[in-house]
Amino acid sequence: MRGWLAIPICVAVLAAIAGSAAGETSSSAALSVREYPVPAGSRPHDVAPARDGGVWYTAQRSGELGWLDPKTGRTRHVALGDGSAPHGVIVGPDGAPWITDGGLNAIVRVDPKTQRVRRFPLPASSGDANLNTATFDRRGILWFTGQNGIYGKLDPRVGKVRVFAAPKGAGPYGITATPSGAVYYASLAGSYLGRVNVANSTVRVLQPPTRDQGARRAWSDSKGRIWVSEWNAGKVAVYAPATGRWREWRLPGASPMPYAVYVDDTDAVWLSDFGANALVRFNPKTETFTRVRLPSSPANVRQILGRRGEVWGAESGVDKLVLVRTC
């Protein structure tokens, strides 16, 4: 357990005109930034707001699932098993946290009330998948990625895990589901967006305009458009399934390194920029960026998630979680 040490900071942020707009302008806005320390050595990787008002996070270094109470700043941890190195965490339709655990090579569910840990190992034939991230489709099937060249699915009702070889081999990373239930994943090493056919488990490769862009994470907006963080290119891209059209924008700054991407309840697009030690908000309507500098450095926010009015990130570099919301 950790005592409460969360200091809200209202910071000035800069909005930059992006894309084909001429030049760069700036304006001021106020956002509330609050950091919450977690136990030293946790190295939090992913976050997921819990239904009880808390926030789940994967403590990758210690092999645990953490839970933070934002009201008090206190945390508790659940051990996931010997060798655990959890990567992703999401909250499933059942309200429980579901974890992609690279160390255990398994999908893990933790009961939010009893803290009972249930593991769903990958088939032995799949080898070390280097599990990354998961999402649920509308049928309640959990789809997941592994950077060592796989994607897979788990039907929680029967506990069966299936694994498939990804096109172009290594690289499957972030994964997302649209409101209609379509599933897409980003391939970092493969530099593509993959659309998963949930009916027959095959994948269609979709190529962003920029070559070798390093598609890292993906997130759907309310219209089913897929937003992609392009790590190598320093850009954010969007794919519109209805038209097959792509668009890209370079993040502001000299050396942007967009890692995570998340679309909030207003359809604003959030990214973590390792190059600027910041979170960056992109407004698709005005095509402008707003940079929110993080108080601690190097924060290394590897994943973003949120709920209405709140955007959460896991600061893996400084053993903290960060919350951003409008003041």
Side-chain angles (χ1 to χ4, degrees):
M1 303 280 283
R2 285 292 292 263
W4 183 64
L5 181 60
I7 303 172
I9 306 171
C10 285
V11 297
V13 296
L14 296 179
I17 301 299
S20 60
E24 186 174 270
T25 65
S26 65
S27 62
S28 64
L31 295 174
S32 172
V33 180
R34 179 174 291 206
E35 290 183 322
Y36 296 85
V38 298
S42 298
R43 290 297 183 263
H45 201 288
D46 283 23
V47 290
R51 290 187 180 180
D52 61 6
V55 180
W56 300 106
Y57 60 93
T58 48
Q60 190 173 66
R61 180 71 61 80
S62 60
E64 299 168 310
L65 175 68
W67 181 86
L68 167 77
D69 182 352
K71 294 180 180 178
T72 65
R74 295 190 178 275
T75 64
R76 66 171 184 259
H77 278 201
V78 178
L80 301 178
D82 291 343
S84 170
H87 191 289
V89 59
I90 58 172
V91 173
D94 58 356
W98 289 81
I99 301 146
T100 40
D101 196 313
L104 297 176
N105 210 38
I107 306 300
V108 180
R109 179 189 185 272
V110 176
D111 188 293
K113 294 182 179 179
T114 67
Q115 299 183 14
R116 175 176 175 263
V117 176
R118 184 180 180 189
R119 304 175 192 86
F120 301 87
L122 271 60
S125 60
S126 65
D128 177 15
N130 193 3
L131 288 170
N132 195 281
T133 317
T135 191
F136 279 92
D137 68 17
R138 293 187 66 182
R139 302 173 302 161
I141 304 299
L142 182 142
W143 293 87
F144 58 88
T145 57
Q147 287 190 75
N148 286 344
I150 65 96
Y151 63 98
K153 65 179 182 179
L154 162 65
D155 185 344
R157 292 165 294 189
V158 298
K160 183 178 181 181
V161 179
R162 295 191 64 190
V163 173
F164 312 94
K168 300 188 176 184
Y173 208 92
I175 192 168
T176 187
T178 70
S180 67
V183 173
Y184 294 79
Y185 71 80
S187 176
L188 176 60
S191 284
Y192 69 86
L193 180 67
R195 174 164 184 168
V196 180
N197 184 324
V198 297
N200 62 20
S201 303
T202 59
V203 169
R204 177 188 172 196
V205 172
L206 304 168
Q207 205 69 52
T210 300
R211 183 181 177 89
D212 299 327
Q213 78 297 130
R216 187 147 212 161
R217 288 194 181 264
W219 207 276
S220 173
D221 64 18
S222 66
K223 300 177 179 63
R225 297 176 301 183
I226 309 302
W227 293 86
V228 180
S229 56
E230 296 183 339
W231 173 254
N232 296 338
K235 299 178 181 179
V236 59
V238 65
Y239 172 74
T243 62
R245 184 187 180 197
W246 285 91
R247 291 196 68 190
E248 294 176 316
W249 297 263
R250 183 176 171 84
L251 273 64
S255 303
M257 300 171 68
Y259 195 117
V261 65
Y262 164 71
V263 182
D264 69 19
D265 56 287
T266 69
D267 270 350
V269 182
W270 291 81
L271 302 110
S272 60
D273 183 355
F274 276 35
N277 196 53
L279 296 183
V280 178
R281 182 176 61 186
F282 179 67
N283 185 331
K285 294 180 180 179
T286 61
E287 299 185 22
T288 56
F289 291 95
T290 301
R291 180 185 289 170
V292 182
R293 298 188 185 277
L294 298 171
S296 299
S297 179
N300 293 350
V301 174
R302 300 178 185 276
Q303 190 256 6
I304 309 170
L305 224 164
R307 52 190 161 209
R308 185 175 296 275
E310 298 182 356
V311 175
W312 286 88
E315 297 184 322
S316 64
V318 292
D319 283 334
K320 295 178 182 179
L321 304 188
V322 63
L323 166 65
V324 179
R325 57 185 167 191
T326 303
C327 292

